[in-house]
C-alpha cells in the first residue's frame, strides 16, 4: 500500500522520475549520506522532504504558495550545506565589508541564503497580516448583517475526495479541481452554496493532509488551512475505500489538533463524511 502511494505521488506530482530511483522514507538525508548512497547504489536517492516538496511545487499556482515553498526549500538546503573543499577552505581576500582572512564558500552560501530567507519571511508575514485584516473585515460585515452566512470547511487526507464533494455540495457545473492525484491543489477554494432548507452557506475546500509531513513543510502547509480556523463547521472527508482509512483519519485529526492547534470547540463541530463508498463493492467511479 505504501509503495503504491509513493508511486502515485511521483506520477501525480507531475514529476519525471528516472527509470530507477531510491526513496528512503526519512524526513531529511544529509548531503554526505545522500551522496554516499547514490554512489554506492548507482541511482539517485531522494528523501521524504524532497519528494513532497517537488509535488507541492508542481501544484503551487499563486505567488504566496511559491514563496512559502521557496522558503521551505531554502531552509532545507541551508541545513544540508557543506564546505565544497573543507581541506583547502577556498577563501577570498577581505574587501568591502568583509574582515579578517576572508569568507569561505560555505559562509558566503549561508549569507546569501539567510538574506533570501529574511526577505521571504518578511513578505509572507505582511501577506499573513493582510489576510487576517481581510478576514476581520469580512467577519465584521457578517456580524453586522441580519443573518451571517456560515462557513463549512472540508478537510481530509490527500486524494480522499474532498474536491469532488466540494463541487457537488456547491452544485457546481463542473468537478472543479477534483482529480485522482495527491495534492491536486495547494490553495483553498471557496464556493457559495445552499443548505437543504435553502439558506446560504460558503463551502471551503483545503489542501489534503499527508502522514508524517516533514517539519520544514508544516508552516507552508498550515498557512493553506487558515480558512479552517475561521469556519463554523468542519467536514472531515475520509476515503472509506482505502485500506488505511482509519490511519489517514487519525493523521488528519492529530494534525488539526496538535500541529495546527485548532480550538477544541471547533473540533467538536466536526462531521465525518465517508467518500468513495461506491468503490467498496468493486464498482467504478470516484468521489
Amino acid at each position: 500500500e505504501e509503495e503504491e502511494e509513493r508511486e502515485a505521488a511521483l506520477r501525480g506530482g507531475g514529476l519525471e522520475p528516472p527509470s530507477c530511483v531510491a526513496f528512503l522514507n526519512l524526513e531529511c538525508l544529509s548531503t554526505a549520506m545522500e551522496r554516499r548512497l547514490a554512489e554506492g547504489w548507482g541511482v539517485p536517492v531522494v528523501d521524504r522532504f524532497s519528494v513532497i516538496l517537488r509535488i507541492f511545487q508542481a501544484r503551487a499556482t499563486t505567488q504566496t504558495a511559491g514563496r512559502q515553498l521557496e522558503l521551505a526549500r531554502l531552509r532545507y538546503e541551508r541545513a544540508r550545506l557543506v564546505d565544497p573543499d573543507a581541506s583547502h577552505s577556498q577563501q577570498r581576500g577581505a574587501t568591502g565589508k568583509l574582515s579578517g582572512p576572508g569568507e569561505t564558500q560555505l559562509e558566503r552560501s549561508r549569507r546569501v541564503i539567510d538574506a533570501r530567507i529574511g526577505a521571504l519571511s518578511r513578505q509572507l508575514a505582511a501577506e499573513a497580516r493582510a489576510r487576517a485584516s481581510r478576514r476581520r473585515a469580512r467577519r465584521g460585515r457578517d456580524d453586522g448583517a441580519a443573518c451571517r452566512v456560515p462557513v463549512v470547511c472540508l478537510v481530509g487526507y490527500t486524494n480522499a475526495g474532498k474536491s469532488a464533494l466540494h463541487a457537488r455540495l456547491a452544485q457546481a457545473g463542473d468537478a472543479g479541481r477534483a482529480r485522482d492525484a495527491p495534492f491536486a491543489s495547494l490553495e483553498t477554494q471557496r464556493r457559495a452554496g445552499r443548505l437543504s432548507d435553502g439558506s446560504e452557506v460558503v463551502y471551503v475546500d483545503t489542501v489534503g493532509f499527508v502522514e508524517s509531513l516533514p517539519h520544514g513543510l508544516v508552516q507552508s502547509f498550515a498557512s493553506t488551512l487558515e480558512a479552517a480556523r475561521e469556519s463554523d463547521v468542519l467536514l472531515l472527508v475520509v476515503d472509506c475505500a482505502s485500506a488505511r482509512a482509519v490511519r489517514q483519519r487519525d493523521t488528519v485529526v492529530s494534525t488539526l489538533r496538535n500541529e495546527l492547534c485548532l480550538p477544541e470547540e471547533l473540533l467538536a463541530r466536526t462531521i465525518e463524511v465517508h467518500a468513495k463508498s461506491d468503490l467498496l463493492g468493486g464498482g467504478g467511479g470516484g468521489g
Side-chain angles (χ1 to χ4, degrees):
E1 178 73 26
E2 291 185 357
E3 291 180 1
E4 292 177 0
E5 184 174 304
R6 289 196 294 270
E7 184 179 348
L10 286 170
R11 289 198 302 266
L15 308 180
E16 294 296 336
S19 57
C20 184
V21 61
F23 169 75
L24 294 185
N25 195 16
L26 300 173
E27 179 168 328
C28 180
L29 286 172
S30 69
T31 302
M33 178 63 71
E34 179 183 330
R35 183 184 301 117
R36 286 198 297 269
L37 291 175
E39 291 174 352
W41 295 342
V43 296
V45 177
V46 296
D47 55 26
R48 190 174 182 86
F49 184 98
S50 59
V51 169
I52 297 178
L53 177 65
R54 290 174 67 186
I55 295 173
F56 275 23
Q57 288 173 325
R59 300 294 190 229
T61 59
T62 67
Q63 289 185 338
T64 297
R67 281 191 279 267
Q68 289 165 340
L69 293 174
E70 183 184 357
L71 180 60
R73 176 181 61 80
L74 288 173
R75 287 171 171 163
Y76 172 76
E77 291 178 354
R78 190 189 190 287
R80 289 160 47 85
L81 283 175
V82 295
D83 195 325
D85 191 358
S87 60
H88 294 91
S89 240
Q90 296 180 354
Q91 295 197 348
R92 299 183 289 110
T95 59
K97 296 182 179 179
L98 297 178
S99 59
E103 184 181 39
T104 66
Q105 181 61 44
L106 177 60
E107 290 168 342
R108 181 179 183 279
S109 297
R110 283 176 177 164
R111 178 169 56 81
V112 171
I113 289 178
D114 286 345
R116 181 58 180 162
I117 286 176
L120 287 169
S121 297
R122 289 189 292 273
Q123 284 181 299
L124 290 169
E127 291 170 359
R129 289 193 295 271
R131 288 194 301 271
S133 178
R134 289 194 295 270
R135 285 197 302 272
R136 286 194 298 270
R138 185 165 56 242
R139 179 70 70 174
R141 289 193 300 270
D142 289 342
D143 290 343
C147 182
R148 191 177 72 83
V149 178
V151 177
V152 177
C153 189
L154 283 70
V155 296
Y157 205 81
T158 184
N159 209 26
K162 295 185 312 303
S163 296
L165 178 61
H166 181 243
R168 188 71 175 269
L169 287 171
Q171 297 181 341
D174 55 67
R177 59 188 185 177
R179 55 176 165 163
D180 188 16
F183 306 112
S185 175
L186 286 184
E187 288 80 39
T188 58
Q189 184 179 51
R190 301 168 68 93
R191 289 182 186 265
R194 292 190 178 275
L195 299 176
S196 58
D197 62 0
S199 59
E200 293 182 334
V201 65
V202 173
Y203 293 108
V204 182
D205 187 20
T206 62
V207 66
F209 291 67
V210 66
E211 186 176 356
S212 302
L213 184 70
H215 180 73
L217 286 170
V218 168
Q219 186 174 5
S220 297
F221 180 74
S223 65
T224 67
L225 287 162
E226 291 175 348
R229 198 177 301 276
E230 303 296 324
S231 64
D232 297 286
V233 176
L234 297 177
L235 291 188
L236 173 54
V237 182
V238 179
D239 176 5
C240 64
S242 171
R244 304 174 68 221
V246 174
R247 183 171 175 176
Q248 291 176 355
R249 176 197 175 279
D250 291 345
T251 293
V252 175
V253 173
S254 175
T255 304
L256 290 172
R257 174 173 286 115
N258 302 321
E259 297 288 348
L260 303 179
C261 302
L262 294 190
E264 287 297 327
E265 56 268 26
L266 175 57
L267 294 175
R269 299 194 299 272
T270 299
I271 301 173
E272 188 168 317
V273 180
H274 289 189
K276 304 187 181 182
S277 58
D278 54 316
L279 299 181
L280 291 173

